[in-house]
Amino acid sequence: MASKDCGNHGKGRQKLIGRIIRCLLVFLVIVLITILIIWAVLRPTKPRFILQDTTVYGFNASTQNFLTSNFQVTVSSRNPNDRIGIYYDRLVTYATYRNQQITLRTALPPTYQGHNEVNVWSPFIYGNMVPIAPDFSVALKTEQAAGSVFMVIKIDGRVRWKVGSFISGRYHLHVRCPAYITFGSRSNGVSVGQNAVKYQIVTRCSVSV
């Protein structure tokens, strides 16, 4: 009888554990469904970025296949969501010419952006004797001599969405801001110091998340 009681007791414990596991699974499913419903109703909108201005402190392409440059860019970001906050993580910004990176990457401080808030960054991006492809080097000199160089200011990083107390996982963020820099007689910039020219650009950037 004792052995039978032990056997029944063991089976009862297994049933109890099974019920607890099933209850936990049901609870987790309900929580996930609730989060998905809230997410679908709120439908988070990706942030909007604007390149406001670019200040050029140095731009030297005289050495064949190399570029030395120094910029300060001002970029603003707006969270268009009414009920969703945004965490910006691991943001870096840099400049490219014809899809080739021409400056080092500059890290932007991580930040939280509340509902309908606006954040502004003004980082320096620079590169000293950065190697560029020979055909790009020729094109860059030609464009500079003609008075206008087209670049793209890029921002890469991660974002997380905050809905109430729920914080999502990280999503890749890619921002692309076109920038035309003019030189010589065609320059529309304003001198802001010794060898520094500021260009008011105010260009909307493309954003992908």
Side-chain angles (χ1 to χ4, degrees):
M1 292 292 293
S3 61
K4 290 183 178 180
D5 291 340
C6 290
N8 292 333
H9 186 267
K11 291 180 180 179
R13 180 180 297 176
Q14 291 177 357
K15 289 182 179 180
L16 178 60
I17 294 174
R19 289 174 182 171
I20 293 174
I21 292 174
R22 284 194 294 271
C23 289
L24 288 174
L25 290 175
V26 170
F27 175 74
L28 290 175
V29 170
I30 292 174
V31 170
L32 289 174
I33 291 175
T34 302
I35 291 173
L36 289 174
I37 292 174
I38 294 174
W39 194 260
V41 170
L42 294 177
R43 284 176 298 182
T45 302
K46 60 188 177 183
R48 296 169 184 167
F49 282 76
I50 292 178
L51 176 62
Q52 297 183 350
D53 59 62
T54 301
T55 302
V56 180
Y57 290 89
F59 193 90
N60 185 354
S62 59
T63 303
Q64 187 70 24
N65 301 336
F66 290 93
L67 173 66
T68 295
S69 59
N70 187 2
F71 309 94
Q72 184 179 22
V73 298
T74 301
V75 180
S76 65
S77 168
R78 179 178 178 271
N79 177 8
N81 297 286
D82 294 325
R83 298 181 180 86
I84 300 175
I86 303 175
Y87 284 98
Y88 293 97
D89 302 321
R90 305 177 189 175
L91 294 182
V92 294
T93 182
Y94 54 98
T96 64
Y97 174 76
R98 298 193 177 188
N99 288 325
Q100 180 176 352
Q101 185 174 331
I102 58 174
T103 68
L104 301 177
R105 294 175 176 237
T106 297
L108 302 179
T111 186
Y112 172 74
Q113 190 174 56
H115 317 147
N116 295 305
E117 285 186 355
V118 175
N119 290 77
V120 179
W121 295 278
S122 294
F124 283 88
I125 52 177
Y126 60 92
N128 185 28
M129 293 294 288
V130 176
I132 56 178
D135 52 339
F136 289 177
S137 177
V138 173
L140 183 61
K141 289 181 180 180
T142 301
E143 290 183 15
Q144 184 176 7
S148 179
V149 173
F150 175 73
M151 301 184 303
V152 177
I153 306 300
K154 296 185 177 183
I155 299 175
D156 295 328
R158 305 285 191 276
V159 292
R160 291 175 292 156
W161 311 99
K162 184 176 184 295
V163 182
S165 59
F166 168 74
I167 300 176
S168 74
R170 288 183 172 88
Y171 292 82
H172 290 273
L173 173 72
H174 300 289
V175 181
R176 304 293 181 257
C177 306
Y180 280 96
I181 306 299
T182 53
F183 297 91
S185 60
R186 294 185 57 186
S187 176
N188 57 2
V190 177
S191 178
V192 292
Q194 186 175 4
N195 299 324
V197 180
K198 186 174 186 177
Y199 300 90
Q200 295 287 348
I201 297 175
V202 190
T203 304
R204 176 165 289 187
C205 310
S206 65
V207 180
S208 63
V209 179

